[in-house]
Amino acid sequence: MKSLAIALVALAAAFAAPAAMRADSLREGTDSMTAKSEIAELVNNWGFWRDRERWPELASTFHPGGTISISWYDGPHEGFVEASKMIASGGAALLKHQLGVPSIRVEGARAVSEVNVVIMVRSSAPFGMVDTTSHARFVDMLEKRDGAWKIRKRVAVYEKDRIDPVDTPALPASLFEGLDAFPAELRFLAASMKRGGIELSKTVVLDRSAEMKALYGEADAWLAGQ
């Protein structure tokens, strides 16, 4: 009887261990899915709040000390929000961010998100209204603090852009003069910015560049806790 009891205890332990492992795995999977859902909502809200000019909510998507690097700005997120507010108050351009579904990796309280974004700007030129469309990606390094996921660092990677007339049948040849002074990945955006008195950031990251590779290396190191 004693041998039988020992055998039954051993058998029960053998079944309990895999069950416990399955429970831990299920819990980890659920936590990861919850984190990804929260981050995806945050990424989407960033674009919505920026376009709707909801400045306090936009600022809330970053942790204190969070930074952002885009075509025209590189620095603390607070400065970006204030500069965006000033640009919007001028009323010279209509801005829209169309975001895709982000690809998200989570490791504990750290995460990396990458999402496709189409940035559409309608602005005035001497010959009429134009639409400038830029294709880019937002690479975000995020952290969960005090129970909330927020952005620690955001960098835009620019791929290509174009410009189209809105209220005229064609664009004048003069619009295409001097474009070689700007990177091919965002030459129309950069030229449009310059016409509006905004200089292209010296730290702008272009697709397939050495800076892009360095950014991805930094994101991997961040996710690994380095």
Side-chain angles (χ1 to χ4, degrees), residues 87-202:
I87 293 172
S89 67
L94 177 64
L95 181 64
K96 187 77 172 180
H97 293 81
Q98 186 174 5
L99 296 165
V101 178
S103 174
I104 302 167
R105 295 179 289 157
V106 179
E107 288 292 342
R110 293 188 175 194
V112 170
S113 168
E114 185 171 4
V115 64
N116 290 321
V117 57
V118 179
I119 307 164
M120 295 166 284
V121 183
R122 175 162 292 185
S123 59
S124 62
F127 52 84
M129 301 295 293
V130 293
D131 280 344
T132 305
T133 305
S134 298
H135 293 260
R137 304 188 302 278
F138 284 151
V139 178
D140 295 334
M141 283 165 256
L142 306 104
E143 190 173 12
K144 188 175 185 179
R145 300 181 196 168
D146 300 323
W149 286 100
K150 294 187 180 184
I151 301 168
R152 177 181 175 272
K153 181 175 183 176
R154 162 167 286 187
V155 179
V157 179
Y158 291 87
E159 300 171 352
K160 64 177 183 177
D161 71 346
R162 63 176 292 143
I163 190 167
D164 298 283
V166 175
D167 53 4
T168 56
L171 297 171
S174 60
L175 184 70
F176 298 88
E177 296 175 359
L179 289 179
D180 290 342
F182 305 107
E185 292 83 354
L186 72 169
R187 58 179 42 165
F188 294 111
L189 174 62
S192 177
M193 286 164 42
K194 190 173 182 64
R195 286 195 299 272
I198 302 173
E199 294 294 329
L200 181 67
S201 171
K202 291 181 172 58

